Amino acid sequence: MLSSGKRLFSALLHVQNRPCQPSRAMRLVQFQTPHLEEPHLGLESGIGGGVVDLNTFDPTLPKTMLQFLEQGETTLSVARRALATQLPVLPRSQVTFLAPVTRPDKVVCVGMNYADHCKEQNVRVPKEPIIFSKFSSSIVGPYDEIILPPESEEVDWEVELAVIIGKKGKHIKATDAIAHVAGFTVAHDVSARDWQMRRNGKQWLLGKTFDTFCPLGPALVTRDSITDPHNLKICCRVNGEVVQSSSTNQMVFKTEELIAWVSQFVTLYPGDIILTGTPPGVGVFRKPPVFLKKGDEVQCEIEEIGVIVNKVV
């Protein structure tokens, strides 16, 4: 099971070779090209499409997503104008995609937030959200490598829908929460189960936050570009084999409830990321357990958002 070989990077090559798909959805990205001295902001022209350089369209725009989100409607209106204009598109093959958000103030994570994942573990559905975190240094791009740490022998996969905050808030009401959301992206909550479940006093943090343990991307898809964030197909494949397949309708606590809950304790800032939990099919609960190994390729995909592809090294 989960054999590697000719499938490695096939999905990524497939995505890169697809023609541009005109899209009215706003898909914000951070990217780099060989001729740029620093990363730029862009618009991905549909899933698998090329990139419009927003900083070329308007040189006054900030060049990081954090600064872009902090300026709110001012910068979003520029992106909308660019979306409505026929602009040159950089071929995908010439672009290096970075994580849509880098160096956020916080990465908030939610445990056991899928009803079918709870059933897989034979545990009750939580009555309150189970919150933990990752350090922002764990974030890497959508096609970057996952590095197996020598300290762990039980590295596992978890596909997740990530919420990206666009507006600062504290004690946010659930009825107001969606106004604080900039958009959504695909996340891979890579997890060292030995450190999560047995080491470090069974505190989850260290097992979740090794370097490269939070691939994100490929784009921040704005909230008005998603039909229904709580009714999206979500899946994970390892070496081409489907290991997780569910729907975000299985989430126990929806986006609005999570924002209301978390903001009781901490102030949420633009760029903050909330990983909303994973569906069943993770390696640790298989019989026998299965963990990632060098050479594996993991694809995490969410409907309407896209796919991230990360090789394990």
Side-chain angles (χ1 to χ4, degrees):
M1 189 172 102
L2 311 183
S3 62
S4 58
K6 293 182 179 179
R7 294 189 187 126
L8 297 182
F9 286 113
S10 60
L12 176 56
L13 292 174
H14 173 70
V15 167
Q16 289 181 327
N17 291 330
R18 288 170 64 180
C20 289
Q21 301 179 18
S23 172
R24 293 300 91 190
M26 187 178 294
R27 304 177 56 85
L28 295 162
V29 299
Q30 292 189 133
F31 72 96
Q32 181 83 59
T33 68
H35 72 276
L36 292 176
E37 294 183 359
E38 57 186 337
H40 275 205
L41 291 178
L43 289 171
E44 185 186 27
S45 60
I47 295 177
V51 173
V52 171
D53 189 335
L54 283 175
N55 294 114
T56 297
F57 175 71
D58 186 339
T60 67
L61 281 177
K63 293 182 179 178
T64 71
M65 193 71 73
L66 272 181
Q67 293 172 325
F68 179 92
L69 295 175
E70 286 168 353
Q71 294 184 28
E73 185 57 34
T74 302
T75 46
L76 276 170
S77 62
V78 176
R80 288 193 199 98
R81 283 195 290 110
L83 192 64
T85 307
Q86 288 293 107
L87 297 170
V89 177
L90 297 168
R92 197 176 185 89
S93 59
Q94 297 179 15
V95 171
T96 297
F97 284 79
L98 309 176
V101 176
T102 45
R103 299 183 181 179
D105 184 73
K106 63 186 71 71
V107 181
V108 179
C109 306
V110 186
M112 294 192 292
N113 196 36
Y114 275 68
D116 47 6
H117 185 44
C118 293
K119 184 178 179 181
E120 169 186 52
Q121 301 175 62
N122 196 29
V123 297
R124 292 181 180 179
V125 171
K127 294 182 179 180
E128 296 175 341
I130 298 172
I131 303 299
F132 61 100
S133 66
K134 288 177 175 280
F135 295 137
S136 62
S137 54
S138 65
I139 293 174
V140 292
Y143 310 119
D144 289 342
E145 294 173 334
I146 296 167
I147 299 172
L148 290 177
E151 294 82 4
S152 175
E153 296 180 351
E154 298 181 0
V155 177
D156 202 352
W157 57 83
E158 290 191 11
V159 60
E160 307 209 7
L161 174 70
V163 179
I164 300 176
I165 298 298
K167 179 183 174 184
K168 180 182 175 180
K170 181 79 185 288
H171 295 295
I172 302 165
K173 295 179 181 179
T175 51
D176 300 330
I178 200 66
H180 290 260
V181 174
F184 302 86
T185 196
V186 181
H188 184 182
D189 180 13
V190 187
S191 304
R193 301 300 187 191
D194 38 8
W195 283 91
Q196 178 191 357
M197 296 180 169
R198 298 191 302 278
R199 305 288 299 275
N200 194 40
K202 298 184 180 180
Q203 295 288 324
W204 292 6
L205 176 66
L206 291 183
K208 293 285 189 172
T209 203
F210 282 99
D211 290 350
T212 74
F213 269 29
C214 192
L216 293 174
L220 185 168
V221 183
T222 55
R223 67 173 192 266
D224 56 352
S225 298
I226 298 289
T227 307
D228 179 358
H230 305 118
N231 193 26
L232 300 173
K233 295 176 184 177
I234 180 170
C235 75
C236 176
R237 294 180 290 271
V238 178
N239 301 326
E241 178 180 343
V242 175
V243 291
Q244 292 182 278
S245 181
S246 186
S247 170
T248 57
N249 65 21
Q250 289 290 305
M251 286 171 59
V252 178
F253 302 102
K254 311 302 185 189
T255 299
E256 296 87 346
E257 297 170 278
L258 293 174
I259 289 173
W261 179 261
V262 172
S263 69
Q264 292 180 93
F265 306 96
V266 297
T267 301
L268 292 175
Y269 294 98
D272 281 354
I273 300 165
I274 302 176
L275 274 59
T276 58
T278 198
V282 295
V284 70
F285 296 124
R286 293 174 178 265
K287 300 185 186 302
V290 177
F291 299 109
L292 294 172
K293 61 186 183 301
K294 182 179 178 181
D296 285 344
E297 178 192 81
V298 186
Q299 304 168 34
C300 294
E301 184 170 8
I302 301 178
E303 184 180 11
E304 297 186 26
I305 300 177
V307 58
I308 62 177
V309 185
N310 305 99
K311 187 172 181 179
V312 180
V313 300

